[in-house]
């Protein structure tokens, strides 16, 4: 690694989000272009920079900065250069020259210790003198904080993030409880905080360490879909993480309950936010679960409703069976209604009848789904605009620094949705936190109709909302089971239902849309996957290679999405002189790549631009599972532009690329709510708990026109027989039943 010293003559570019900077550094007689993370650095400052010289294909020789330290100017010229650089507002080159001429080598000491003396110079009032001193002090504080944090191994970017969070309080936080960083600073988890604490001499059995480890363990379980952990499992996991005896961990649970970080109910330990999310959902559901006006005077009302439905069915050329008509009637009579059913069972026809009935009654109807793709499918199926739940709730982008990281919707209890009927599709994808926000924005008296397939995999986020709602036994629910004639022509639909019932399926390849290609060699599976995507399937399903999706049960392994993405990228989007690339860790992103957002980011801004590149619409939020294409990579600006569905364009700073993954292959879990013209499932072998019926059913039902399984027919048969699922620890059904019993007793 090389070290160079000089002064910053000019900041060419600086990314305000991640601090990536392009600057000119003057070292002796040479001017060097430097690139790297330098948030807080200003023109005129003297720095000592560490890094390496590189040869950029367009911009030539550059110094790639890894770290730097600001050093005080050693002569009058350096002081004058710094003060006149624009780093201090209100001080230009001429005024800087007068200040240095007056005070000479003592200039910086005067500004720091006797700032009032600056008023001795013509053009500087006492107020302006104080402002100059404050600015110099603020920059000094930041510089000193960066130097202090860098000694613990923090990058400049992370150090700035810590300073922005705590300001000058960071020294007290580091000294007293460095585990606060894991809770307060994005990008710092428990393990990083734990390494820091060890360097600072914090004991292994420190109360702070144990409590932080317990909280981290619970939050990790949220990533697995749990809303709580049984106390034995929590203690066991915390013991493995902390290396501290369980008898030392157990008392800290009570302390955390006292601090309102945890709730313990029976044998269940909740992070407080998730306990109250389930409790609040149960309360709000009961408030919505009321008989509607149409349920009164039933005989005459039912006759009128049936007559109206007959008229709508005739006008719209709809045919509904007895169960579907019963479902529509239930949605009319009840404030809260759940419609469940697998593919081809007539959910769309039933929803369409509901929409037309409520529309004929003059009621305002909102349609929504958890993802953009699911909302688009709902719009196409009904002919009515459907939005994402986030968009319907009006996700607020105008967050202050204090609120950053928290989700806030404009539609809430104080400003509820102005609708008479709200229909939510793909409810199996809705997690407990989003459901809480949704219910909070629905006023009692509004009809809420929840639609989904309870046999799909549960949400990526915590909870299993649809399953718990139905499992509570409290709400009016209709499950559609009959496969309609048109759907019976699809072996995708027929096989999905057979799998769901635990029946073995035919894999003789006599189908037009369901194929099993027995392949037992991983390299052969790679080869045939590429052939299918590039040559066979596009014409067969009238789609592009990028529309065809590889779905896999696993992330790791030879047929996991991480390995498959590297291979598929090489053939579907190979390197090209006109395609710019950026390496992030082990991943190379290339213009044209298919990518997926892998965590909810409520602060990411998107815009839709016209053909003349003028923004016509803006909004906030890109969510876990959203898929798009890389339009542009800009190394100088350290940004990447991704276009998602509905032509939403998002500019990612390179510091946020850990929120993206290549998406030529994705896990079946991440594919929920999406539908693809053709799906390829590589299924050879894997862990029994993962390779189950539920997973196979979900993967198959993602395909619209064609499913191709590459691998072992024996594995497919074993998955159909395997009913084991990863248990989710949720208590929403219990909270609902408790509320219902309380109401009954009252």
């Amino acid at each position: 690694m090389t070290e160079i010293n000089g002064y910053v003559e000019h900041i060419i570019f600086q990314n305000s989000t991640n601090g990536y900077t392009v600057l000119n550094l003057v070292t002796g007689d040479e001017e060097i272009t430097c690139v790297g993370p330098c948030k807080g650095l200003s023109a005129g400052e003297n720095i000592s920079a560490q890094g390496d010289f590189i040869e950029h294909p367009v911009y030539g020789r550059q110094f790639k900065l890894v770290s730097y330290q600001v050093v005080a100017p050693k002569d009058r010229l350096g002081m004058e250069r710094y003060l006149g650089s624009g780093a201090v507002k209100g001080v230009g080159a001429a005024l800087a020259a007068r200040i240095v001429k007056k005070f000479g080598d003592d200039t910086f000491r005067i500004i720091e210790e006797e700032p009032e003396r600056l008023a001795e110079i013509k053009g500087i009032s006492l107020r302006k003198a104080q402002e100059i001193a404050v600015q110099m002090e603020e920059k000094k504080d930041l510089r000193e904080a960066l130097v202090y944090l860098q000694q613990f191994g923090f990058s400049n970017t992370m150090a700035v993030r810590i300073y922005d969070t705590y300001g000058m309080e960071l020294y007290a936080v580091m000294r007293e409880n460095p585990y606060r960083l894991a809770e307060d600073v994005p990008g710092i988890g428990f393990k990083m905080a734990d390494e820091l604490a060890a360097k600072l001499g914090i004991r292994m059995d420190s109360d702070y360490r144990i409590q932080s480890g317990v909280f981290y363990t619970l939050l990790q379980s949220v990533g697995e879909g749990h809303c709580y952990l049984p106390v034995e499992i929590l203690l066991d996991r915390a013991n493995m993480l902390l290396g501290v005896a369980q008898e030392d961990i157990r008392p800290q649970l009570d302390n955390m309950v006292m601090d309102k970080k945890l709730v313990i109910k029976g044998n269940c330990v909740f992070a407080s936010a998730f306990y109250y999310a389930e409790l609040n959902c149960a309360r709000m559901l009961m408030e919505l679960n009321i008989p509607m006006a149409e349920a009164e005077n039933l005989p005459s009302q039912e006759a009128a409703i049936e007559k109206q439905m007959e008229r709508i069915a005739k006008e719209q050329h709809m045919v509904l069976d007895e169960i579907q008509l019963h479902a529509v009637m239930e949605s009319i009579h009840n404030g809260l209604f759940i419609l469940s059913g697998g593919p081809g069972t007539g959910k769309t026809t039933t929803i369409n009848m509901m929409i037309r009935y409520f529309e004929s009654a003059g009621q305002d109807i909102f349609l929504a789904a958890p993802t953009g793709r699911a909302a688009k499918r709902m719009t196409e199926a009904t002919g009515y605009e459907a939005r994402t739940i986030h968009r319907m709730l009006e996700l607020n982008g105008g967050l202050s620094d204090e609120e950053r990281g928290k989700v806030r919707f404009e539609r809430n209890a104080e400003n509820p949705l102005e609708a008479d009927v709200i229909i939510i599709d793909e409810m199996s994808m809705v997690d407990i936190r989003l459901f809480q926000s949704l219910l909070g924005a629905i006023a009692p008296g509004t009809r809420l109709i929840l639609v989904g397939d309870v046999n799909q995999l549960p949400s990526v986020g915590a909870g299993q909302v649809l399953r718990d709602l139905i499992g509570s036994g409290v709400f009016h629910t209709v499950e559609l089971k009959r496969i309609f004639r048109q759907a019976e022509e699809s072996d995708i639909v027929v096989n999905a239902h057979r799998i769901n019932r635990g029946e073995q399926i035919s894999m003789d390849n006599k189908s037009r849309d369901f194929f099993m290609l027995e392949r037992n060699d991983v390299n052969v599976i790679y080869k045939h996957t590429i052939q299918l995507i590039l040559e066979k399937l596009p014409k067969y399903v009238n789609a592009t290679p990028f529309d065809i999706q590889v779905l896999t049960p696993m992330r790791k392994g030879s047929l996991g999405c991480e390995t498959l993405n590297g291979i598929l990228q090489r053939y579907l989007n190979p390197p090209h002189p006109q395609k710019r690339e950026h390496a992030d860790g082990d991943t190379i992103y290339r213009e044209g790549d298919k990518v997926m957002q892998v965590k909810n980011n409520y602060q990411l801004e998107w815009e839709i631009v016209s053909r003349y590149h003028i923004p016509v619409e803006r909004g906030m939020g890109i969510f876990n599972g959203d898929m798009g294409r890389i339009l542009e990579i800009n190394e100088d600006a350290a940004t990447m532009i991704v276009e998602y569905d509905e032509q939403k364009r998002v500019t990612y700073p390179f510091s946020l690329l850990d929120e993206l993954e290549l998406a030529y292959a994705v896990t079946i879990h991440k594919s929920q709510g999406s539908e693809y013209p053709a799906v390829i499932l590589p299924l050879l072998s894997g862990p029994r708990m993962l390779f189950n019926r539920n997973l196979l059913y979900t993967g198959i039902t993602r395909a619209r026109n064609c499913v191709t399984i590459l691998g072992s027919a024996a594995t497919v048969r074993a998955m159909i027989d395997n009913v084991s699922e990863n248990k989710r620890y949720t208590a929403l059904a219990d909270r609902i039943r408790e509320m219902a019993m309380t109401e009954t007793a009252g």
Side-chain angles (χ1 to χ4, degrees):
M1 191 173 290
T2 306
E3 181 173 312
I4 58 175
N5 298 279
Y7 76 91
V8 180
E9 183 184 59
H10 177 55
I11 301 284
I12 299 170
F13 169 82
Q14 192 164 64
N15 186 305
S16 60
T17 304
N18 62 6
Y20 182 88
T21 304
V22 181
L23 59 88
N24 286 341
L25 187 74
V26 175
T27 62
D29 297 330
E30 188 180 8
E31 188 174 301
I32 300 171
T33 300
C34 297
V35 297
C38 305
K39 188 169 183 178
L41 193 62
S42 304
E45 294 194 281
N46 287 261
I47 64 169
S48 174
Q50 297 78 43
D52 294 295
F53 284 99
I54 60 170
E55 194 68 30
H56 192 279
V58 177
Y59 300 103
R61 185 170 180 258
Q62 296 179 336
F63 187 78
K64 190 169 185 180
L65 222 143
V66 175
S67 62
Y68 74 93
Q69 297 80 40
V70 175
V71 295
K74 295 177 180 176
D75 54 24
R76 297 186 184 194
L77 178 61
M79 294 180 188
E80 183 179 326
R81 196 185 283 140
Y82 175 72
L83 291 173
S85 67
V88 180
K89 291 179 183 176
V91 179
L95 185 54
R98 295 207 302 273
I99 293 173
V100 175
K101 184 179 180 181
K102 170 77 174 174
F103 298 114
D105 294 340
D106 217 19
T107 297
F108 278 19
R109 187 196 67 77
I110 293 291
I111 294 174
E112 189 175 323
E113 299 177 8
E114 303 175 73
E116 67 279 357
R117 288 191 57 193
L118 291 174
E120 297 172 15
I121 297 169
K122 186 177 180 182
I124 299 181
S125 64
L126 188 58
R127 180 179 175 183
K128 187 168 185 175
Q130 291 170 339
E131 288 175 354
I132 292 170
V134 167
Q135 287 186 65
M136 289 286 285
E137 185 64 29
E138 286 176 347
K139 288 182 176 292
K140 179 187 173 189
D141 289 344
L142 173 58
R143 287 196 297 268
E144 290 179 351
L146 294 187
V147 171
Y148 171 73
L149 291 167
Q150 283 168 355
Q151 69 179 312
F152 297 107
F154 289 112
S155 67
N156 282 343
T157 303
M158 189 60 74
V160 168
R161 200 177 290 175
I162 295 169
Y163 181 81
D164 287 346
T165 302
Y166 299 115
M168 296 307 289
E169 191 192 349
L170 75 88
Y171 300 101
V173 171
M174 297 277 284
R175 186 172 58 252
E176 295 166 13
N177 180 14
Y179 291 97
R180 276 184 58 188
L181 273 67
E183 297 179 29
D184 300 337
V185 183
I188 296 183
F190 170 79
K191 292 185 178 178
M192 189 184 291
D194 202 32
E195 289 174 9
L196 172 63
K199 292 176 184 175
L200 292 165
I202 304 292
R203 298 191 332 271
M204 278 190 68
D205 61 352
S206 155
D207 291 356
Y208 290 136
R209 181 172 186 266
I210 293 173
Q211 291 186 19
S212 182
V214 166
F215 200 68
Y216 173 79
T217 301
L218 277 176
L219 292 185
Q220 287 293 101
S221 76
V222 166
E224 300 168 27
H226 304 304
C227 291
Y228 72 87
L229 283 179
V231 68
E232 303 84 11
I233 293 177
L234 173 62
L235 290 173
D236 188 52
R237 289 188 179 188
N239 163 254
M240 293 285 289
L241 174 73
L242 295 166
V244 175
Q246 292 192 16
E247 53 266 30
D248 293 327
I249 299 171
R250 187 65 181 83
Q252 295 302 330
L253 301 186
D254 297 327
N255 293 336
M256 294 175 77
V257 170
M258 294 283 287
D259 292 338
K260 299 187 177 178
K261 289 184 176 179
L262 302 183
V263 172
I264 300 178
K265 195 167 177 69
N267 196 46
C268 309
V269 184
F270 298 78
S272 292
F274 286 90
Y275 174 78
Y276 289 107
E278 290 192 328
L279 185 66
N280 289 334
C281 284
R283 175 184 54 78
M284 291 185 286
L285 284 163
M286 298 309 297
E287 290 174 356
L288 293 172
N289 189 37
I290 56 175
M292 305 305 281
E294 290 87 344
E296 298 170 8
N297 193 15
L298 276 179
S300 59
Q301 285 284 353
E302 292 235 355
I305 293 169
E306 287 172 3
K307 190 172 182 180
Q308 178 69 343
M309 286 197 290
E310 285 176 16
R311 185 185 65 78
I312 294 169
K314 188 175 181 181
E315 288 177 358
Q316 300 292 327
H317 307 290
M318 291 183 187
V319 178
L320 283 78
D321 69 9
E322 190 176 327
I323 300 296
Q324 289 174 301
L325 291 170
H326 173 62
V328 178
M329 194 70 77
E330 288 284 275
S331 73
I332 294 167
H333 289 328
N334 296 288
L336 177 61
F337 172 67
I338 301 168
L339 177 66
S340 178
T345 56
K347 290 197 302 291
T348 299
T349 303
T350 308
I351 293 170
N352 276 326
M353 175 59 84
M354 292 174 185
I355 292 170
R356 268 107 188 138
Y357 175 84
F358 291 124
E359 185 182 46
S360 71
Q363 298 191 321
D364 291 325
I365 307 160
F366 284 179
L367 307 182
T371 66
R373 289 192 168 208
K376 185 178 179 182
R377 287 172 56 201
M378 196 179 188
T379 299
E380 291 168 351
T382 63
Y384 286 75
E385 183 195 7
R387 296 170 286 176
T388 63
I389 297 172
H390 291 91
R391 200 166 179 184
M392 181 176 73
L393 296 179
E394 299 174 20
L395 180 67
N396 187 336
L399 297 177
S400 67
D401 289 339
E402 292 75 24
E403 294 171 313
R404 196 156 294 281
K406 298 178 182 177
V407 185
R408 200 177 83 202
F409 294 105
E410 288 295 332
R411 293 294 178 174
N412 48 45
E414 287 72 42
N415 182 29
L417 293 163
E418 296 170 5
D420 301 303
V421 181
I422 296 172
I423 303 176
I424 309 294
D425 198 9
E426 294 286 0
M427 267 300 300
S428 62
M429 296 180 64
V430 176
D431 62 47
I432 191 67
R433 300 300 292 271
L434 180 58
F435 194 50
Q436 180 183 19
S437 297
L438 172 66
L439 293 176
I442 301 175
T446 304
R447 276 188 183 82
L448 177 60
I449 300 168
L450 306 175
V451 183
D453 182 352
V454 76
N455 295 304
Q456 296 281 354
L457 290 169
S459 57
V460 174
Q464 47 184 8
V465 171
L466 182 62
R467 193 169 295 185
D468 282 350
L469 292 182
I470 295 172
S472 72
V474 171
F475 307 114
H476 292 267
T477 303
V478 171
E479 183 180 3
L480 303 177
K481 295 182 179 180
R482 175 189 164 193
I483 305 174
F484 282 84
R485 188 163 54 107
Q486 187 176 356
E488 282 181 337
E489 297 173 6
S490 165
D491 286 320
I492 297 172
V493 172
V494 171
N495 285 339
H497 283 273
R498 284 178 179 159
I499 289 166
N500 195 37
R501 293 193 298 267
E503 300 170 7
Q504 291 298 327
I505 58 175
S506 171
M507 290 182 275
D508 58 8
N509 290 335
K510 293 180 179 178
S511 168
R512 290 179 300 172
D513 59 11
F514 196 101
F515 304 99
M516 173 71 221
L517 305 182
E518 185 81 32
R519 304 289 185 271
N520 293 306
D521 185 306
V522 168
N523 290 313
V524 173
I525 291 175
Y526 295 156
K527 176 185 174 183
H528 288 178
T529 298
I530 292 160
Q531 284 179 340
L532 285 166
I533 295 173
L534 288 178
E535 301 168 17
K536 307 291 186 183
L537 288 173
K539 292 179 182 177
Y540 193 70
V541 297
N542 190 27
T544 71
F546 277 80
D547 293 325
I548 295 159
Q549 190 62 50
V550 177
L551 300 181
T552 173
M554 305 169 292
R555 291 188 55 80
K556 306 288 185 181
S558 56
L559 290 178
C561 60
E562 292 180 4
T563 301
L564 285 168
N565 272 318
I567 293 167
L568 294 171
Q569 181 194 43
R570 197 181 313 151
Y571 289 92
L572 299 181
N573 190 30
H576 190 279
Q578 293 182 351
K579 289 183 178 179
R580 287 169 288 191
E581 299 179 353
H582 175 75
D584 185 70
D586 295 332
T587 303
I588 294 175
Y589 292 104
R590 185 173 298 128
E591 289 177 342
D593 272 338
K594 189 175 178 180
V595 292
M596 173 182 278
Q597 175 80 10
V598 294
K599 64 185 288 189
N600 289 339
N601 188 323
Y602 301 95
Q603 275 76 51
L604 269 179
E605 297 182 26
W606 54 261
E607 63 180 20
I608 299 172
V609 299
S610 70
R611 58 187 292 190
Y612 304 107
H613 301 287
I614 299 170
V616 294
E617 188 177 350
R618 286 189 170 94
M620 301 290 288
I622 297 295
F623 305 106
N624 196 347
D626 286 353
M627 292 176 71
R629 296 279 295 275
I630 298 175
L631 292 185
E632 179 185 310
I633 294 173
N634 188 329
E635 284 287 347
D636 292 325
T639 58
M640 189 161 82
I641 298 175
V642 177
E643 183 171 274
Y644 289 96
D645 288 339
E646 301 174 336
Q647 297 180 306
K648 293 179 180 176
R649 293 186 178 184
V650 176
T651 300
Y652 286 83
F654 285 168
S655 61
L656 284 183
L657 294 189
D658 61 341
E659 297 188 5
L660 286 175
E661 289 180 356
L662 293 175
Y664 299 100
V666 302
T667 62
I668 293 172
H669 219 136
K670 291 281 189 185
S671 71
Q672 284 176 276
S674 296
E675 186 180 72
Y676 311 99
V679 161
I680 298 171
L681 293 164
L683 299 173
L684 202 53
S685 63
R688 176 176 167 76
M689 282 302 293
L690 187 60
F691 275 55
N692 57 38
R693 182 187 300 173
N694 192 215
L695 190 90
L696 181 62
Y697 173 81
T698 301
I700 285 169
T701 55
R702 298 306 90 209
R704 184 167 59 245
N705 299 322
C706 183
V707 168
T708 304
I709 299 175
L710 278 168
S712 165
T715 296
V716 174
R717 287 191 286 270
M719 290 178 78
I720 294 170
D721 289 337
N722 181 12
V723 295
S724 65
E725 292 180 41
N726 289 321
K727 177 176 173 56
R728 286 203 170 189
Y729 294 111
T730 67
L732 179 59
D734 295 333
R735 300 291 87 82
I736 291 168
R737 284 191 286 265
E738 288 169 3
M739 290 278 181
M741 287 175 64
T742 302
E743 286 195 4
T744 304

